[in-house]
Amino acid sequence: MTVLEFDGVAFDPLNAPQQTGAAQEQTDSAREQASSTLAPAAAAIENARPAGGIDPIAQIRAGVVAAHRSALSAQTALQRELWRRALRPAVTDAQPVHSAPEGAFKPLARTGRARLDRESLVQLANGAVSTVFGPAYLPDGVEAVARLAGTTPLVLTEVTGLELYGGAGKGRVTARFEGDARTAALQAAEVYALYTGMPLCLSGSLLTGGASESALGTISGTVELVVDSADLVPRPHVHATAFFGEGTEPIRVAVTVAEPQGADVGPGHAVAGLLLNEFHMAHLARGDQAIAMGPEFAPYTGVRATRLPTGGLLLVDRVRDFDGARGNLETASYTTEYDSPADSWYYADTANDSMPHFVYMETSLQAALLMGYYAGPTLTQPGTTLSLRNLGGTATVLRQVDLRDATIEQSSRLLSTTILPGSSLQTFDYTLSVDGEPFYRGETMFGYFSDQALGNQTGLDAGRYVPSWLAEHPEARPRVIDVAARRADQAARACSRRKLALIDRVEVVDEGGKYRAGYLHSLRAIDPADWFFARHFHLDPVIPGSLGVESVIHAVQEWMLDAGFADGMADPVFRIPRDIPFSWRYRGQFLPTDGSVELEAHIKSVHRGPRGATVVVDGSLWKPGLRIYELIDLAVEIADRKALP
């Protein structure tokens, strides 16, 4: 097992002037070693220092710290406006029929049934949901009580259409009925709640609801229910509009899944045998932290605090087991699960329907941070606002596997926790498996930082400005790959689209870069309304580090296509190569107010084989004036799907 260190020295997030004991000895030793190693450079800097004793490095560092603090203040002021905008309907490209829009409600169970006859509706009214929709609707630990028409006479006679992402993009039910129109609207919404498996996250729950007034009364005909919203917060619910034909007023309807009165729905109680499920994940992402994590976390509700991402970036569903205990911050192991349906938005937004690298990273890192947070490191510093940030790690693909419609099992271990003034650090290792067979393994470090600690960040280079290779070589004459134009060409192969359109152009210097094998550069403006800020994190928006990695991958993919690596392939696909360890370091974050993301990739090696080619790069990403991400041995493979075993 590799032990991850924080840049090899004791971490002092607040630049505290005093240290004592072992920590002081470790720091002194590190300083002595650094001093001897960097002595020539220090002498050169000293000789270059202007008269008057003004240290240019100190000036730069002070400027960087001031800029960080200013950005954090602007970020805080922007948070509420970002979330206000996020509530508006977004204008996006049309999604393929087979894919879920990013942020769409993810059902807790799935069925192939799209029509229901009268007999099936009677079975739903008798509570036999799993008989109608299948065994996935009666998992272990769930007491099935919810049923159709539990408070009204059954008036639906047939359901002619069930669509998960139909209508307004959030679901549709079409049914025939004989009886009261308001009752028909309510029961159509109840069918949708059962169809999406909402009662499965609260054992013993019932359906409750109501509909707006209507003059239609008792009639027979067809009702079309268009789902306006479906969510698990504050309780699982469906809000919809029912239409009865031209010239009639629509009926507004709401159905809620309610636990038995007085029932505990906190960790370990909502469903027998699970510590946390989809209901808790939704609350941790953007709801009541006391429900998600337990009453100790109640002070974090409604304020900036550690959270999971939300929407299409929430990539962990359940915590199956946990052998640790709250307050034990040294060791723990646990198993979580994530279901990856084939219609997930990220499959549709890649060129070849494969799982993008950022999902590998996010599903493993979210599982780690979830349980590290559950152990309670932030509870040791009450009253302090702490923001979570990933600091780095390593990961390796062990085998290549099709993950569409797979349940990914995440086995993680908390290795250590270090509590420091204004921050704390945690290290983990993790393994992802499908059907008991590992396919991805890695280690990572997370930090919880106060605003002051975040304000003191000085990037990867101690506050020094380190320019890109292109800026250091003004004589280079790059050629440009117009990614945006390629993406707009329906006949062209594009590596990403819609939500994963992370770059618009790539500058290429053939035989450039530090390895003289090729160099890639891209610059993208940050829009504070970019979709991922509303997802990562609630009240603490930053660009996910994994999407920074993904943007470098996209630059490499576009270069590979431009260089002809796909020529002659019947069905080229991009994959993550196996057995090539990849590592990353993050020493800062991209805020909505930062203006731009700059990236570069140095082609390190190119290997061609009988089935395709593999390219390995080293990369960096900058916010204006500061290099904050470093990527080592990031690998991309292109292969002909028809030639794969």
Side-chain angles (χ1 to χ4, degrees):
M1 180 187 72
T2 302
V3 177
L4 295 176
E5 297 180 330
F6 192 91
D7 298 343
V9 298
F11 177 58
D12 181 9
L14 301 180
N15 296 319
Q18 300 293 329
Q19 283 183 311
T20 59
Q24 179 67 52
E25 293 175 6
Q26 182 180 1
T27 303
D28 291 344
S29 174
R31 286 174 176 163
E32 291 174 6
Q33 181 180 0
S35 177
S36 62
T37 303
L38 301 177
I45 292 173
E46 185 65 32
N47 292 335
R49 184 174 296 169
I54 299 175
D55 186 346
I57 301 302
Q59 284 185 319
I60 293 172
R61 189 180 192 286
V64 169
V65 170
H68 268 288
R69 289 175 173 165
S70 176
L72 283 167
S73 297
Q75 174 196 6
T76 300
L78 192 62
Q79 287 166 359
R80 293 192 180 278
E81 173 62 16
L82 283 169
W83 276 93
R84 186 180 65 82
R85 291 186 185 183
L87 295 176
R88 299 174 182 169
V91 179
T92 60
D93 295 342
Q95 293 280 343
V97 173
H98 67 274
S99 71
E102 185 279 321
F105 178 75
K106 181 181 177 182
L108 282 78
R110 291 176 181 252
T111 178
R113 297 288 300 270
R115 301 175 67 93
L116 302 174
D117 57 19
R118 175 69 180 185
E119 180 182 354
S120 296
L121 292 170
V122 170
Q123 289 175 321
L124 292 181
N126 290 330
V129 180
S130 62
T131 302
V132 175
F133 289 139
Y137 289 76
L138 188 58
D140 293 340
V142 174
E143 180 187 359
V145 177
R147 61 191 181 94
L148 174 64
T151 59
T152 56
L154 180 62
V155 300
L156 299 184
T157 59
E158 181 185 9
V159 171
T160 58
L162 278 170
E163 298 178 60
L164 188 57
Y165 303 120
K170 298 173 184 176
R172 175 162 46 195
V173 179
T174 306
R176 304 186 201 282
F177 73 98
E178 293 181 3
D180 180 65
R182 294 177 69 245
T183 301
L186 177 64
Q187 290 177 7
E190 290 177 341
V191 167
Y192 190 82
L194 295 172
Y195 169 64
T196 55
M198 285 186 173
L200 301 180
C201 62
L202 295 175
S203 185
S205 56
L206 294 169
L207 301 182
T208 64
S212 61
E213 294 297 325
S214 172
L216 289 175
T218 300
I219 59 174
S220 63
T222 298
V223 56
E224 180 185 21
L225 184 91
V226 176
V227 177
D228 303 314
S229 68
D231 200 357
L232 300 181
V233 175
R235 291 297 186 274
H237 67 265
V238 177
H239 292 168
T241 305
F243 299 91
F244 294 86
E246 187 175 352
T248 63
E249 287 293 322
I251 296 176
R252 300 285 297 167
V253 61
V255 168
T256 299
V257 177
E259 71 274 15
Q261 187 173 3
D264 186 350
V265 296
H269 297 285
V271 171
L274 287 178
L275 180 64
L276 306 173
N277 64 28
E278 293 90 339
F279 173 68
H280 302 102
M281 302 305 161
H283 273 282
L284 178 56
R286 54 195 161 80
D288 187 338
Q289 291 229 20
I291 289 176
M293 297 275 102
E296 302 95 324
F297 287 79
Y300 298 137
T301 297
V303 301
R304 180 156 55 90
T306 296
R307 295 185 184 273
L308 288 172
T310 188
L313 290 180
L314 176 56
L315 300 172
V316 60
D317 290 326
R318 296 171 294 278
V319 178
R320 210 170 64 204
D321 54 66
F322 176 56
D323 75 350
R326 179 151 298 157
N328 179 3
L329 302 178
E330 292 306 313
T331 60
S333 61
Y334 44 93
T335 305
T336 62
E337 291 179 341
Y338 170 64
D339 300 325
S340 181
D343 64 1
S344 297
W345 69 273
Y346 47 78
Y347 289 118
D349 286 4
T350 55
N352 50 255
D353 301 328
S354 64
M355 179 178 280
H357 197 156
F358 90 89
V359 180
Y360 280 73
M361 294 183 71
E362 282 294 319
T363 188
S364 51
L365 297 179
Q366 289 178 30
L369 77 87
L370 169 64
M371 281 296 93
Y373 183 48
Y374 186 84
T378 61
L379 301 178
T380 65
Q381 302 184 53
T384 302
T385 298
L386 298 175
S387 296
L388 177 76
R389 299 291 184 264
N390 185 241
L391 299 173
T394 63
T396 306
V397 171
L398 307 177
R399 63 187 181 100
Q400 290 160 326
V401 58
D402 186 352
L403 295 168
R404 289 170 295 184
D405 282 334
T407 293
I408 299 171
E409 180 183 278
Q410 307 131 323
S411 299
S412 307
R413 294 188 303 171
L414 171 64
L415 303 178
S416 67
T417 302
T418 303
I419 304 296
L420 299 163
S423 65
S424 57
L425 305 176
Q426 289 186 315
T427 59
F428 305 85
D429 64 16
Y430 54 83
T431 300
L432 303 187
S433 303
V434 168
D435 296 328
E437 293 293 326
F439 68 89
Y440 189 70
R441 182 169 290 148
E443 300 175 2
T444 192
M445 175 184 284
F446 281 96
Y448 300 87
F449 298 104
S450 66
D451 288 350
Q452 183 180 359
L454 286 177
N456 282 337
Q457 290 181 106
T458 54
L460 288 160
D461 306 297
R464 293 181 296 110
Y465 172 63
V466 173
S468 68
W469 182 92
L470 187 60
E472 287 185 315
H473 294 79
E475 75 283 358
R477 293 294 180 264
R479 59 186 176 85
V480 175
I481 301 174
D482 190 339
V483 179
R486 177 182 288 172
R487 194 160 47 233
D489 182 357
Q490 296 297 319
R493 292 189 179 110
C495 295
S496 59
R497 49 191 175 265
R498 289 181 293 271
K499 299 300 186 183
L500 290 183
L502 302 176
I503 57 174
D504 290 329
R505 67 197 305 267
V506 179
E507 296 176 286
V508 179
V509 180
D510 297 308
E511 299 182 356
K514 62 183 178 182
Y515 303 112
R516 310 302 300 174
Y519 173 81
L520 314 177
H521 177 271
S522 185
L523 182 68
R524 177 187 179 275
I526 294 175
D527 182 348
D530 280 332
W531 69 275
F532 35 73
F533 289 125
R535 308 302 192 198
H536 187 272
F537 300 100
H538 178 55
L539 302 181
D540 185 18
V542 296
I543 296 179
S546 61
L547 287 185
V549 175
E550 190 71 22
S551 65
V552 175
I553 291 173
H554 291 179
V556 176
Q557 290 175 337
E558 296 290 348
W559 174 77
M560 293 177 76
L561 291 176
D562 187 72
F565 285 87
D567 292 353
M569 293 184 180
D571 187 9
V573 295
F574 287 105
R575 308 193 299 176
I576 311 171
R578 58 181 295 178
D579 300 327
I580 300 179
F582 155 62
S583 63
W584 67 95
R585 288 198 303 153
Y586 303 150
R587 294 297 181 269
Q589 63 274 308
F590 290 101
L591 306 177
T593 53
D594 276 335
S596 65
V597 175
E598 181 180 13
L599 67 84
E600 70 176 12
H602 301 266
I603 308 299
K604 198 170 187 177
S605 66
V606 177
H607 174 73
R608 293 181 181 267
R611 292 175 178 157
T614 299
V615 173
V616 180
V617 306
D618 291 345
S620 294
L621 285 88
W622 284 259
K623 61 195 301 175
L626 198 66
R627 189 172 73 103
I628 60 173
Y629 293 2
E630 181 179 65
L631 317 175
I632 303 296
D633 291 335
L634 180 62
V636 179
E637 176 183 274
I638 191 169
D640 193 337
R641 194 198 307 263
K642 294 191 175 180
L644 296 175

